[in-house]
Amino acid sequence: MARPPPLEELPRCCHTPPIRSVAPQILAGSLKAPLWLRAYFQGLLFSLGCRIQRHCGKVLFLGLLAFGALALGLRVAVIETDLEQLWVEVGSRVSQELRYTKEKLGEEAAYTSQMLIQTARQEGENILTPEALGLHLHAALTASKVQVSLYGKSWDLNKICYKSGVPLIENGMIERMIEKLFPCVILTPLDCFWEGAKLQGGSAYLPGRPDIQWTNLDPEQLLEELGPFASLEGFRELLDKAQVGQAYVGRPCLDPTDTHCPPSAPNHLSRQAPNVAQELNGGCHGFSHKFMHWQEELLLGGMARDLQGQLLRAEALQSTFLLMSPRQLYEHFRGDYQTHDIGWSEDQASTVLQAWQRRFVQLAQEALPENASQQIHAFSSATLDDILHTFSEVSAARVVGGYLLMLAYACVTMLRWDCAQSQGAVGLAGVLLVALAVASGLGLCALLGITFNAATTQVLPFLALGIGVDDIFLLAHAFTEAPPGTPLQERMGECLQRTGTSVALTSINNMVAFFMAALVPIPALRAFSLQAAIVVGCSFVAVMLVFPAVLSLDLRRRHCQRLDVLCCFSSPCSARMIQILPQDLGERTVPVGIAHLTTTVQAFTHCEASSQHVVTILPPQDHLVPPPSDPLSSELFSPGGSTRDLLGQEEGTRQKAACKSLPCARWNLAHFARYQFAPLLLQSQAKAMVLVFFGALLGLSLYGTTLVQDGLSLTDVVPRGTKEHAFLSAQLRYFSLYEVALVTQGGFDYAHSQRALFDLHQRFSSLKAVLPPPATQAPRTWLHYYRNWLQGIQAAFDQDWAAGRITRHSYRNGSEDGALAYKLLIQTGNAQEPLDFSQLTTRRLVDEEGLIPPEFFYVGLTVWVSSDPLGLAASQANFYPPPPEWLHDKYDTTGENLHIPAAQPLEFAQFPFLLHGLQKTADFVEAIEGARAACAEAGQAGVHAYPSGSPFLFWEQYLGLRRCFLLAVCVLLVCTFLVCALLLLNPWMAGLIVLVLAMMTVELFGIMGFLGIKLSAIPVVILVASVGIGVEFTVHVALGFLTTQGSRDLRATRALERTFAPVTDGAISTLLGLLMLAGSNFDFIVRYFFLVLTVLTLLGLLHGLMLLPVLLSILGPPPEVVQMYKEGPRVLGLATPQGGRLGWGASPTLHQNFARVTTSMTVALHPPPLPGAYIHPASDEPTWSPADSGSSNFGSRANH
């Protein structure tokens, strides 16, 4: 076979023979603005495609260069794992409050928590036994003895733990001993027993005594022994106020047979094991009974009580170890001799803490043997960070696997037995191009400063691949189905003209959908939505500009009859192929076996001024002899043409006449849609069944929407079956406690607003979710502690005054507290005359109403903060600005110690609370609403306050989440309507599309309820994005219906045949992209992304290929082009064929208003009838009809 000429040498026009006069056929269409505007837009696309084809090599090179450069932006990508940065609503009151807190206190919390939870392996078993407590002691002791070696130093618990309220002592020896002995804050049920002291690792040395540890330390006895050698009166009073007593040595021993059990233990002599439930009833205490009370709810879970309220049993134990924050650890050891040689920094402090925490969790989980009756669950803040980092990491194996699967699918789909006509390389190149576009889009996001998160790394690469490949299939499908005879130089222009509108419409709707999803004010989801919109935009550019260059290059390969993929080799199949062009046909013959023939002829168009119609004059029919049998021919469709048979349509190439294909070889999705699916679907009974089915599905989904609950907990995110998930499940079940604070801001006078502050505390304490303090304990707030301390030193002053130990002129003989009261009582708050000794007996530090006199409120605050460190630490006040330091010197003789600097007006203080019983999102919402109401009421009294804590950071979004979701969906549906109406130029069709999309969204929401998927910001984003993704399944069918002729049934059938294959392949490609999500280690990814998106894809497929065609066949808009037949005098003539070839010629006397256009014509022989098809009268001649007549998207190119 001769080598074909180069593309540039091929003729652009067919042969024009002489003219012969016959009666013409006239096709007329109404002069509609939509048709004209779309024709103009498609003309631009045609020009774009032709230019890309002419310069395909340059376009491909520049496109790959640009996308590759953008992909390099991934090198600067930042993955955000901070929960506050990910989940706190942008611009919300919570974010403003959080910003205020950080401005006053800094970025970090005061401490970090490490927790141990112990439960019985047999569910429901009582755990309040000495044996169970002994196992808990073993696990806690093993974990507390952790040491890590970093930077040449050894770090243990005593060095890095959080110590609350270490007092300042003037005696250097006592101060050093206290620094070494001061206990770590450990909230544990073991503190009810002497064994709780074993968790404290500090020790001190005194000459003549064994090492002092909390296991053998009796503070009262120690002070008596040291009394003759040092003045410890102030320290003694401090211990008395804190109610330290004998500390741990006065508590019962869990194991009274322990040789180290102190003689002072209540059961030392009896050697009887204590009643654990009785000892734990009411909670436990640290070394200070007054300031370190651990309530039962912090230590025990699954409690049961008798009728008198006494504790009987429990199912879980919890111990909590508090560590310093990185900033605190850095400040603590900055300048210390232990770190001066290692360049101590805050990053090193953070590394030390994380290493210790990981080792803590590991040893605690391994502390008990597998056959033990109890099990230990351990967790730390480092564990949570590790989970978030793992959750945010890109799984290279799944990404590579997903893309390889898509490559294989695209290649196999486009491969053909005919090597020269196969497009496997195009499929491979298309998938790789989309992958590059996804990488470039993410790189652009990184360059724009949009942070990445788990949703970006775990979901977006697969979702974007599935969406992007849809358009690749559609473009390749249209490229191979261009009208035969189209000049090769215009093949790409013809392709973009036919499909560009659909690709633009779906891509724009997807981008609009994701941009609208960015209305959800959660930073993680806003970033995901913006990144998805940018990635879809990059994919759109790649598909519209770069992929056409790939198709153009492949066209050159196919024209040269080279092998697919191995393009350097010629096709061995090429010798079996012959090329049949329209001019190759005889005047009245069609080769046997040709069931369907399309050819390109010349026609003429003009505008009739009288009727304002566009009249297209088509050439006359020639007498063609039909083949003996051809049951599969059609006057409207070609049986070839799907992404499974991209080269099934004749491209000017046929097999030899003697060659016939097997029936199975002619089967494809278009054939199935034309001959099986559409006739069945568009029967009256089938339509009714489809409407009833989707109506029932909608009704069932509406019920399912009532089952959807709000919420998203850590147990939903952490992989099931892991130790972390077991801990979180146990914590949620037994210890649903949350530390919160009621923050008071600046902008009001604290001194004159004490009554309002007390009322605010009372109102907040009365909330259902707030854990009340024991009846025997005063409220744990700074204002109560401050007032009680003032009342205590006032009582001491009264006693000293009555006994004469304090007089108007001297306080040295009085007690420490009496001397402090003396100094406060003489303060006036006046800078000019700061002291007034006459006030000693005329005023009180706390008046009869329980309020502190405003004039020395801030002076007294300075004294309290300096003199009561344990009370200040227990109150967790976190004052800002912090009051100045002031040391009380009872023996000062200069009088300088009488001048006390007043604290600055407070801008930040807080009351701590514990919330309990919060299991469901409704519980959180109720607690949040109650707290906000209390703050609003206080605001009316002039107190500016807000609640703070994790429930308010992460659950307040649910107060307005459904409203935000509804608003975003409604706005998006309106935007979709406007975009579709603008590009389709048909509001009627746009309304039907939006109706179907709204049904899909409601049904997806309802199915989520049946699947048990909770509503949070993540499903909201998917639900909002479902509107844009649903356009992929509807707009192609709608556009095919809109641009064809005939009855509604006929047009629906025609639209189905043209779009069934690409829509189905698009759905399959999306499902393949999502398939890799099913292999995620995180159940959250599987349930909240894979399941939801898979259901969305299936719903889109059903609605796009079943419901929408039925609705269009019933309610569809009228066609844009109406076919009319007119007869007139000689307009065209058929010339005598030259060389036995078929050709058409224009009359030399053609009217000047006529313009020459080229349109595709299809000859079909005896087609089977379609629903609603017009049956032509019997004729001696077969009918010529325009292929895709009137179609402006899938049909021919006409310059009207």
Side-chain angles (χ1 to χ4, degrees):
M1 183 175 183
R3 180 180 179 86
L7 295 180
E8 293 79 2
E9 300 177 9
L10 293 177
R12 295 181 57 87
C13 300
C14 55
H15 175 67
T16 304
I19 303 169
R20 186 176 64 169
S21 176
V22 292
Q25 288 181 330
I26 300 175
L27 179 66
S30 59
L31 189 61
K32 291 184 177 180
L35 199 58
W36 291 97
L37 292 176
R38 191 181 301 115
Y40 176 75
F41 179 61
Q42 289 178 335
L44 297 178
L45 291 173
F46 177 80
S47 300
L48 174 64
C50 291
R51 292 184 179 182
I52 292 176
Q53 183 170 342
R54 283 197 301 270
H55 307 285
C56 55
K58 298 176 183 177
V59 172
L60 182 60
F61 174 76
L62 293 177
L64 295 179
L65 184 64
F67 284 124
L70 288 176
L72 293 177
L74 288 172
R75 299 181 62 183
V76 298
V78 176
I79 297 180
E80 182 63 71
T81 58
D82 186 353
L83 283 176
E84 292 180 359
Q85 297 297 324
L86 290 173
W87 292 103
V88 177
E89 295 184 38
V90 177
S92 65
R93 60 184 176 186
V94 174
S95 65
Q96 296 172 1
E97 293 162 357
L98 184 62
R99 188 182 310 113
Y100 184 86
T101 300
K102 290 183 176 181
E103 287 176 358
K104 304 306 178 183
L105 298 184
E107 295 288 334
E108 294 182 340
Y111 50 79
T112 60
S113 300
Q114 284 56 238
M115 290 163 283
L116 297 180
I117 293 179
Q118 177 179 324
T119 58
R121 292 191 182 275
Q122 184 175 353
E123 186 175 351
E125 182 178 336
N126 181 27
I127 205 170
L128 299 185
T129 63
E131 294 77 17
L133 265 293
L135 292 175
H136 193 74
L137 171 64
H138 176 69
L141 192 59
T142 301
S144 67
K145 300 305 180 184
V146 167
Q147 290 188 355
V148 293
S149 297
L150 286 173
Y151 311 113
K153 312 295 178 183
S154 179
W155 305 88
D156 58 15
L157 176 63
N158 197 52
K159 287 184 178 179
I160 64 176
C161 71
Y162 176 74
K163 298 182 179 182
S164 174
V166 181
L168 297 177
I169 306 297
E170 295 182 0
N171 188 296
M173 179 188 70
I174 300 299
E175 183 180 12
R176 287 190 297 272
M177 185 177 68
I178 289 178
E179 182 180 357
K180 293 181 178 181
L181 277 176
F182 203 83
C184 300
V185 178
I186 303 175
L187 289 70
T188 174
L190 297 170
D191 273 350
C192 282
F193 308 94
W194 166 77
E195 280 79 1
K198 293 184 177 182
L199 302 181
Q200 303 293 344
S203 64
Y205 171 75
L206 285 178
R209 292 181 55 95
D211 285 349
I212 301 175
Q213 299 178 345
W214 284 101
T215 53
N216 59 17
L217 174 61
D218 183 345
E220 294 179 348
Q221 181 182 354
L222 180 64
L223 289 178
E224 290 180 2
E225 294 178 0
L226 296 178
F229 306 102
S231 176
L232 300 175
E233 181 181 353
F235 185 55
R236 186 189 301 273
E237 289 188 6
L238 180 65
L239 295 181
D240 290 342
K241 289 180 182 179
Q243 300 175 10
V244 173
Q246 290 184 303
Y248 290 97
V249 297
R251 303 175 188 182
C253 297
L254 268 174
D255 181 12
T257 62
D258 190 329
T259 56
H260 296 96
C261 180
S264 54
N267 60 342
H268 175 74
L269 296 178
S270 65
R271 302 291 181 179
Q272 292 182 354
N275 186 328
V276 174
Q278 183 178 346
E279 295 294 336
L280 289 173
N281 188 62
C284 300
H285 297 85
F287 80 96
S288 168
H289 280 252
K290 181 177 181 180
F291 297 119
M292 295 183 176
H293 176 251
W294 323 134
Q295 293 180 246
E296 291 174 334
E297 291 80 1
L298 292 171
L299 310 176
L300 306 175
M303 292 179 288
R305 303 178 183 276
D306 61 15
L307 296 178
Q308 288 73 37
Q310 297 298 310
L311 182 65
L312 291 178
R313 63 193 311 275
E315 298 178 11
L317 302 173
Q318 178 175 255
S319 292
T320 305
F321 296 73
L322 303 186
L323 303 184
M324 286 187 280
S325 66
R327 164 64 66 174
Q328 288 177 325
L329 184 60
Y330 166 70
E331 294 290 346
H332 182 74
F333 283 100
R334 187 175 63 172
D336 191 271
Y337 73 95
Q338 300 181 66
T339 58
H340 74 281
D341 59 337
I342 61 174
W344 183 241
S345 66
E346 191 170 342
D347 289 339
Q348 290 177 324
S350 178
T351 302
V352 168
L353 288 171
Q354 291 179 0
W356 193 93
Q357 289 172 323
R358 293 188 179 100
R359 186 63 177 162
F360 170 89
V361 171
Q362 178 185 357
L363 292 184
Q365 292 172 343
E366 298 173 352
L368 301 185
E370 292 291 335
N371 58 355
S373 61
Q374 308 289 316
Q375 54 186 347
I376 293 291
H377 311 290
F379 199 80
S380 71
S381 57
T383 307
L384 180 58
D385 293 338
D386 292 341
I387 291 174
L388 293 175
H389 279 290
T390 303
F391 191 53
S392 303
E393 288 178 353
V394 180
S395 175
R398 286 195 296 115
V399 170
V400 171
Y403 279 69
L404 287 178
L405 185 62
M406 188 66 74
L407 284 169
Y409 175 74
C411 184
V412 170
T413 301
M414 297 185 179
L415 280 175
R416 295 295 173 269
W417 290 107
D418 179 4
C419 302
Q421 301 301 322
S422 178
Q423 279 189 308
V426 170
L428 295 176
V431 174
L432 292 176
L433 179 61
V434 172
L436 179 61
V438 172
S440 65
L442 294 177
L444 179 58
C445 294
L447 294 174
L448 293 176
I450 303 176
T451 58
F452 287 32
N453 55 67
T456 304
T457 58
Q458 296 282 335
V459 178
L460 191 53
F462 307 104
L463 178 61
L465 176 66
I467 294 176
V469 173
D470 293 354
D471 294 331
I472 293 292
F473 283 129
L474 184 65
L475 216 61
H477 174 84
F479 186 72
T480 58
E481 290 196 339
T486 301
L488 292 182
Q489 296 93 333
E490 299 180 0
R491 288 292 297 274
M492 200 63 247
E494 183 72 28
C495 176
L496 284 186
Q497 178 180 255
R498 289 154 58 93
T499 60
T501 302
S502 294
V503 173
L505 188 57
T506 56
S507 298
I508 290 174
N509 271 285
N510 276 327
M511 287 189 286
V512 170
F514 283 115
F515 278 127
M516 293 305 302
L519 291 176
V520 178
I522 307 300
L525 283 309
R526 175 167 292 181
F528 172 79
S529 302
L530 292 175
Q531 288 162 342
I534 292 174
V535 167
V536 169
C538 289
S539 298
F540 173 58
V541 173
V543 170
M544 290 293 287
L545 296 181
V546 184
F547 187 64
V550 175
L551 289 173
S552 301
L553 289 175
D554 189 68
L555 180 62
R556 294 172 181 262
R557 175 195 64 78
R558 292 159 56 197
H559 178 69
C560 297
Q561 296 177 348
R562 298 285 183 176
L563 282 174
D564 192 13
V565 182
L566 304 175
C567 56
C568 296
F569 302 95
S570 297
S571 170
C573 310
S574 59
R576 297 186 291 104
M577 306 297 295
I578 62 172
Q579 190 173 17
I580 302 177
L581 297 177
Q583 55 266 33
D584 295 329
L585 299 176
E587 184 173 355
R588 297 177 52 84
T589 61
V590 177
V592 177
I594 301 296
H596 179 273
L597 173 65
T598 58
T599 182
T600 300
V601 301
Q602 295 179 5
F604 306 95
T605 301
H606 82 291
C607 179
E608 292 183 347
S610 59
S611 61
Q612 292 189 346
H613 281 170
V614 177
V615 179
T616 303
I617 302 177
L618 304 179
Q621 313 170 40
D622 191 21
H623 296 275
L624 300 177
V625 179
S629 63
D630 189 63
L632 297 178
S633 60
S634 169
E635 67 168 335
L636 298 171
F637 306 104
S638 162
S642 76
T643 51
R644 287 178 171 76
D645 189 13
L646 293 178
L647 299 177
Q649 177 83 4
E650 293 82 12
E651 298 180 72
T653 321
R654 293 290 187 190
Q655 295 186 6
K656 293 183 178 180
C659 220
K660 289 188 178 181
S661 59
L662 296 175
C664 61
R666 294 196 300 266
W667 190 94
N668 51 57
L669 283 180
H671 183 279
F672 170 75
R674 162 65 182 84
Y675 289 97
Q676 282 85 36
F677 184 73
L680 177 63
L681 179 68
L682 296 179
Q683 292 179 4
S684 299
Q685 299 88 343
K687 290 181 184 179
M689 293 177 62
V690 168
L691 294 177
V692 169
F693 170 76
F694 281 97
L697 179 61
L698 180 62
L700 193 63
S701 299
L702 287 173
Y703 170 72
T705 59
T706 63
L707 304 178
V708 179
Q709 299 180 355
D710 294 347
L712 178 65
S713 62
L714 274 178
T715 53
D716 296 325
V717 177
V718 177
R720 296 181 184 272
T722 62
K723 295 179 179 179
E724 293 79 9
H725 187 274
F727 171 87
L728 292 171
S729 299
Q731 185 188 47
L732 181 64
R733 177 178 180 181
Y734 296 116
F735 300 100
S736 185
L737 289 170
Y738 297 88
E739 292 185 356
V740 300
L742 183 59
V743 175
T744 52
Q745 302 172 262
F748 71 97
D749 188 356
Y750 282 70
H752 290 87
S753 303
Q754 295 176 62
R755 177 55 60 196
L757 289 172
F758 282 122
D759 292 343
L760 172 61
H761 176 267
Q762 180 60 36
R763 171 71 185 274
F764 205 92
S765 301
S766 63
L767 296 178
K768 174 184 175 181
V770 173
L771 182 65
T776 58
Q777 183 179 354
R780 192 165 54 95
T781 70
W782 67 269
L783 193 55
H784 289 87
Y785 281 142
Y786 178 26
R787 183 181 65 178
N788 294 343
W789 179 81
L790 288 175
Q791 290 173 335
I793 64 173
Q794 179 71 64
F797 173 83
D798 292 342
Q799 293 178 2
D800 290 341
W801 183 272
R805 292 188 292 270
I806 293 181
T807 65
R808 180 184 177 90
H809 303 290
S810 175
Y811 56 81
R812 292 183 180 86
N813 294 327
S815 62
E816 291 285 338
D817 285 351
L820 281 173
Y822 178 94
K823 293 179 181 181
L824 283 175
L825 287 170
I826 63 176
Q827 304 296 318
T828 64
N830 188 343
Q832 302 297 328
E833 297 181 0
L835 304 178
D836 184 359
F837 293 93
S838 63
Q839 297 179 156
L840 285 171
T841 57
T842 59
R843 67 184 306 176
R844 309 286 292 177
L845 296 178
V846 180
D847 63 21
E848 295 178 354
E849 296 181 1
L851 303 180
I852 303 168
E855 54 269 22
F856 65 84
F857 179 88
Y858 287 107
V859 175
L861 192 64
T862 298
V863 177
W864 174 64
V865 167
S866 301
S867 305
D868 189 16
L870 290 175
L872 176 65
S875 72
Q876 301 179 33
N878 287 329
F879 291 129
Y880 182 86
E885 290 186 1
W886 177 83
L887 290 179
H888 166 56
D889 184 1
K890 181 179 178 181
Y891 300 101
D892 173 59
T893 58
T894 63
E896 290 296 328
N897 202 237
L898 295 177
H899 296 275
I900 305 173
Q904 298 181 42
L906 294 176
E907 299 177 15
F908 185 97
Q910 62 183 23
F911 299 151
F913 292 94
L914 282 174
L915 301 184
H916 71 123
L918 303 182
Q919 297 287 339
K920 301 179 180 179
T921 302
D923 301 330
F924 287 93
V925 171
E926 181 183 359
I928 292 170
E929 290 176 341
R932 292 294 182 184
C935 293
E937 184 176 332
Q940 297 177 357
V943 175
H944 304 155
Y946 62 84
S948 176
S950 58
F952 304 97
L953 290 179
F954 306 122
W955 274 272
E956 184 147 342
Q957 58 178 286
Y958 295 103
L959 296 180
L961 183 63
R962 295 198 176 222
R963 182 177 65 254
C964 180
F965 161 57
L966 183 61
L967 174 64
V969 169
C970 291
V971 172
L972 180 55
L973 288 174
V974 172
C975 291
T976 302
F977 174 82
L978 295 176
V979 172
C980 292
L982 181 63
L983 292 183
L984 295 178
L985 300 166
N986 192 307
W988 188 342
M989 181 63 74
L992 288 177
I993 292 175
V994 168
L995 173 64
V996 173
L997 295 178
M999 290 181 61
M1000 285 176 54
T1001 304
V1002 172
E1003 290 163 6
L1004 180 60
F1005 191 32
I1007 292 174
M1008 283 172 47
F1010 290 112
L1011 293 177
I1013 296 175
K1014 300 177 183 177
L1015 184 67
S1016 63
I1018 291 176
V1020 163
V1021 167
I1022 297 177
L1023 286 166
V1024 173
S1026 68
V1027 177
I1029 297 174
V1031 174
E1032 295 272 357
F1033 301 97
T1034 56
V1035 72
H1036 305 311
V1037 177
L1039 196 55
F1041 179 88
L1042 192 63
T1043 56
T1044 53
Q1045 302 176 45
S1047 67
R1048 287 191 174 102
D1049 282 350
L1050 178 64
R1051 294 158 62 207
T1053 306
R1054 178 180 294 180
L1056 271 176
E1057 183 181 11
R1058 290 172 180 156
T1059 59
F1060 191 90
V1063 169
T1064 301
D1065 279 314
I1068 293 174
S1069 68
T1070 302
L1071 290 175
L1072 287 177
L1074 298 175
L1075 185 61
M1076 289 299 101
L1077 298 179
S1080 174
N1081 295 329
F1082 292 88
D1083 182 67
F1084 170 78
I1085 294 291
V1086 176
R1087 298 183 69 242
Y1088 281 77
F1089 283 99
F1090 172 72
L1091 277 182
V1092 175
L1093 289 172
T1094 299
V1095 170
L1096 170 60
T1097 304
L1098 296 177
L1099 286 176
L1101 199 61
L1102 291 174
H1103 286 75
L1105 297 181
M1106 291 183 64
L1107 178 62
L1108 183 59
V1110 169
L1111 290 178
L1112 291 176
S1113 69
I1114 300 173
L1115 304 172
E1120 293 179 339
V1121 177
V1122 179
Q1123 184 168 338
M1124 300 175 62
Y1125 293 90
K1126 296 183 180 180
E1127 293 186 0
R1130 26 183 319 273
V1131 179
L1132 296 174
L1134 179 63
T1136 302
Q1138 298 181 1
R1141 299 193 178 191
L1142 183 65
W1144 303 104
S1147 170
T1149 60
L1150 188 64
H1151 192 278
Q1152 61 181 356
N1153 289 336
F1154 283 78
R1156 180 171 297 176
V1157 298
T1158 301
T1159 182
S1160 172
M1161 308 299 298
T1162 304
V1163 61
L1165 307 176
H1166 303 292
L1170 291 175
Y1174 173 75
I1175 307 299
H1176 294 280
S1179 173
D1180 295 334
E1181 301 174 351
T1183 302
W1184 283 91
S1185 63
D1188 307 318
S1189 59
S1191 173
S1192 58
N1193 186 52
F1194 296 95
S1196 61
R1197 174 171 51 89
N1199 298 326
H1200 296 292

